[in-house]
Amino acid sequence: QQQVKQSPQSLIVQKGGIPIINCAYENTAFDYFPWYQQFPGKGPALLIAIRPDVSEKKEGRFTISFNKSAKQFSLHIMDSQPGDSATYFCAARGPNSGGSNYKLTFGKGTLLTVNP
Amino acid sequence: DSGVTQTPKHLITATGQRVTLRCSPRSGDLSVYWYQQSLDQGLQFLIQYYNGEERAKGNILERFSAQQFPDLHSELNLSSLELGDSALYFCASSNLPGGEDTQYFGPGTRLTVL
């Protein structure tokens, strides 16, 4: 119930391509879906996030598409650049068991390589 | 730069030993979260502290413990270390107690248990 399944594990695209990373979840109590970007040697950094009452959110070249009925969401990177090469994690926020807190459940990550 | 600092950057130790990882949150943040990142398990939430008090627990082993001090820095103590504890350990900070706001991650501590 708390899992977030992310695919693919790795992805290679050419500069200018549109990589798409997909995530799926089961827990309908999740109420916030952030994407994190992580460069080697750095911690994850929030990239973009969406709430389930919205089907799409765009920030610059990054777009999240959200399908509430299918319990799926995806990240699209338009006009990808070599500098976008990083690991991308989807996450979902839901209640932590036994308390009033929320916790983030992360997907296992997608290593994106954008070739020049 | 997220404003969250972690020390040390790398730590190499032997099985059975005990280590302490340190985290300083962003200025003004009262919540500190600890995560473990490994290749097979991904990023796993361990524990959260808010203003010195334990707030939420995740997949934290009994051999691991944490605390948050009055100056709001936090330490994660790992004892009786096993090979499988080798991982990246991240701390994150946020302002609110309930985990409902954005978490900012530090650069991590890479722990290698030999």
Side-chain angles (χ1 to χ4, degrees):
Chain A
Q1 276 272 320
Q2 289 291 337
Q3 280 189 326
V4 176
K5 294 182 180 177
Q6 183 172 346
S7 63
Q9 220 171 2
S10 62
L11 188 53
I12 301 173
V13 299
Q14 293 298 120
K15 177 183 172 184
I18 306 176
I20 300 173
I21 304 170
N22 300 298
C23 287
Y25 65 97
E26 288 295 322
N27 189 348
T28 56
F30 288 144
D31 67 350
Y32 175 72
F33 300 87
W35 284 87
Y36 281 80
Q37 180 188 54
Q38 184 179 22
F39 292 105
K42 305 285 187 186
L46 180 65
L47 185 63
I48 185 173
I50 197 167
R51 296 188 189 278
D53 53 347
V54 175
S55 61
E56 185 174 280
K57 184 171 181 182
K58 188 173 180 178
E59 285 184 6
R61 297 184 293 106
F62 300 91
T63 300
I64 302 177
S65 298
F66 190 86
N67 185 330
K68 189 174 180 178
S69 60
K71 290 187 259 183
Q72 294 174 350
F73 58 111
S74 59
L75 176 71
H76 301 234
I77 306 175
M78 311 303 285
D79 187 27
S80 59
Q81 301 296 313
D84 297 329
S85 297
T87 300
Y88 292 81
F89 294 92
C90 63
R93 187 184 72 185
N96 195 32
S97 56
S100 59
N101 259 42
Y102 288 98
K103 77 166 191 177
L104 286 177
T105 300
F106 286 83
K108 292 199 173 180
T110 297
L111 177 62
L112 172 66
T113 303
V114 181
N115 288 327
Chain B
D1 184 4
S2 67
V4 178
T5 60
Q6 288 187 250
T7 56
K9 200 171 175 66
H10 301 278
L11 200 48
I12 301 174
T13 188
T15 54
Q17 295 298 305
R18 172 189 167 97
V19 297
T20 298
L21 281 51
R22 183 189 169 106
C23 168
S24 292
R26 291 188 324 154
S27 176
D29 282 354
L30 299 175
S31 272
V32 171
Y33 309 78
W34 286 98
Y35 290 87
Q36 180 190 59
Q37 185 178 43
S38 60
L39 282 173
D40 55 340
Q41 293 294 320
L43 204 57
Q44 299 274 314
F45 167 66
L46 296 178
I47 196 165
Q48 178 203 357
Y49 275 77
Y50 176 78
N51 203 21
E53 299 290 327
E54 181 184 303
R55 181 75 189 187
K57 258 185 174 176
N59 303 323
I60 190 164
L61 299 173
E62 284 193 12
R63 301 183 284 108
F64 296 2
S65 65
Q67 53 185 325
Q68 186 179 26
F69 295 87
D71 67 351
L72 301 176
H73 91 271
S74 177
E75 292 180 357
L76 179 68
N77 300 297
L78 315 176
S79 61
S80 302
L81 284 167
E82 302 175 359
L83 296 176
D85 297 327
S86 296
L88 268 167
Y89 291 84
F90 288 102
C91 91
S93 76
S94 75
N95 188 250
L96 300 178
E100 63 269 52
D101 57 340
T102 298
Q103 295 178 29
Y104 295 86
F105 283 78
T109 293
R110 181 174 292 280
L111 174 66
T112 302
V113 182
L114 301 175

